[in-house]
Amino acid sequence: MQLGASVSLVSRLILACVLVAACHGGAPPPAPRVPPVAAPAAAAPALASTPAAAVAPAAAVTSAIIAPITLADGRAATARYDFDADALRAVVAVADGLVVATASGNLLHTTPALVVDAVALAAPPVAALTSDGHGGAVAALGDGTVATVAPSLQLTPLGAVAGTPRWIGRWRDQLVVVADGARTTLAHRLDARTGAAIGAPLAGVSGATFAIDAAGRLWWGLDAGEWGGSVGAVDLATGAITPDASMDDGVMGLLVHDGDVLAYGGTTHMGYTEGMIASLVRHATVPPPPAVPPEDGAPARRLPITRMIAQGDHLLVFIWNIAYAVDPTLTSWTRLAALPARVRWGRPDAVGAYPAIVDGVVLPDGAAVIATVRDGLFRIDRSGAVTAHTVAGPIAFAPGRAYVSDGAAVIDDDGALWRRVADRWEALTVPATITRATDVTFVQQPHGAGLVAVDTWDGLRMLAWGAGAATVADAGPAEASYPQVVGVGDEVWRVGAGTLWRWQPDGTWQEAGHYVERDDDHPRRGDVAMPVRLAGAQVGAHRLIVDGWHRRLLRLTIGGRGGATLADVGAAERVIALDAERALVIAGGVAQVYVAATGRLTPYPVTLPPVIAAALDASGRLWVATARGLVLVEDNVARAVPVPALTGRTIVDLIADPAGGVTATLGAGGLVRVTFD
């Protein structure tokens, strides 16, 4: 089973079953497009008795941003930037519709009918968004710049703060920006008209959710997953700090309401769930939110409160994805609808996921608009009618590692594989004959169609995934304990439990050798820790494998009698074959050259910024992803490739694209493809 995922299969199934039983009336989740653990639709519950959301017309624009670029030597190239325009971060109501910030830090503008009519690249990316109080919007960018947002989505700098912003809001004639500095988190105050700093930054701020009450106190709330949460406040006028207060459950939001500040949230961890609302100013007793009554007779269960919004004469409150109309005293709860919105799995402090709902606003007609982390916007009328509004652009995922065989493929942050077909990306569908799948791994090969290793409860299965649908490539399941499959040149190897197997043309695995797995209590030089997240390259007779989990370079050697062995030869994060006798090895941001003739590493002859990844294209050009952007190396000369989308965004992986040029993944930031004209 692939261990690189942040949430294990069993943990996901436990939490998914809880949410299905509590919110889906016991109905099974929709059939996933990828193995169940890769896309657990049950994590985005919808009441069985609630009609599906109506779907609004598609957006009037595309989210693809295509721009010409010019290298320092005058060569022209084109950069295409794709991002998930339905993965959102924040939404603000403006005079002519909405301004929306995506999870990738870009901007969308919608009409009053919520049709997206403008898309803009923000570089650096937008970190936070707020209303300017006059029908416009103000954004805080990743580099600390604070800028006004025009209806055209043009950003005009207004001021700046030190650090990386977490949040921006308004208080009277001030903008308040919470930003992470080098050592601490501070609250900065700016004149809303001029952008000038007001006083010194204020300490005593933490958390990820914020609100300013009528008394001018900046409240903050922290969601620490299974470890509960905390709240605190700082007076914006005096700097006086309200001491932190611990909470049994995580704080997912704050609402200034009727002279009080309400903290709301809850916990999902394994099979445990809870929801809470607490009074921070009046310290009043707040009636507990109702448990969600399932329709299958199972006990009712409390779920986290994920959003509270003042909507006219009542509050719109979400228990997970379920909307309720609640009276101001929080005693009468009327269920309205459920949003069919999905989460993104994985959080570092609990076995579960963050909520699908990330923000919400109320429109002049009284309807509420909810922004979600994967499924765009939802409009909820006061009657409870729900309409979904999406862009449905070229990608609908957050890409991570990238792979290449006869086509380009990526794995997303949910563990699902995607393959590019023309300008679209299609998800891997595991054939119906393979059941109980848990994890999928793309097996990179320089020639021929790609292979996919599928870990199932029945054993390891192999698929051929070319231009069409994936087909079964093996002769049956192979018994394996934590198998890891890697392409090394045109060979495919399986590593695990001290044994090496080699993939055969007839769809079987042949045992090829053994290696010594490291005993952590008695480690020895050259022994191999259990390898995870592998990548390989072949130079000469040397088969090199990088263990991405432990960041080690392994050498697979076939002896005179054909027996294979595996040994640890040093630190490494990436390995790329440069030619028949040399490979580029990246370790700790430093590029080195592995020479097959000597079996040694030598310094790379070109000075580069800290290196993240590299790729060699069909013309022999070396493209290098660095901490300062994309670099092209030719004849031992490095030239920066000025891609606007990379400003403020970090490359996760880089491949030489079979369709030409290179493709870089930016994690939640999307995909960039650069080609010479």
Side-chain angles (χ1 to χ4, degrees), residues 491 538-544 555-558 580-581 594 596:
E491 301 173 353
Q538 184 166 2
V539 288
H542 295 230
R543 296 163 176 85
L544 303 178
R555 183 166 55 214
L556 191 157
T557 303
I558 299 178
E581 296 297 327
Y594 180 91

Side-chain angles (χ1 to χ4, degrees), residues 132-154:
D132 69 358
H134 307 287
V138 180
L141 308 187
D143 66 348
T145 298
V146 176
T148 59
V149 185
S152 64
L153 299 182
Q154 179 178 343

Side-chain angles (χ1 to χ4, degrees), residues 9 28 45 64 69 90 140 157 298 358 362 364 406 411 442 468 481 485 488-489 506 512-513 593 595 638 643:
L9 168 68
I69 59 176
V358 293
V362 175
D406 63 345
I411 191 165
F442 194 90
S481 175
V485 181
V488 183
D506 63 357
V593 177
V595 181
V643 180

Side-chain angles (χ1 to χ4, degrees), residues 271-285:
Y272 172 78
T273 65
E274 185 57 87
M276 70 86 183
I277 303 175
S279 166
L280 302 183
V281 175
R282 295 180 176 177
H283 303 290
T285 299

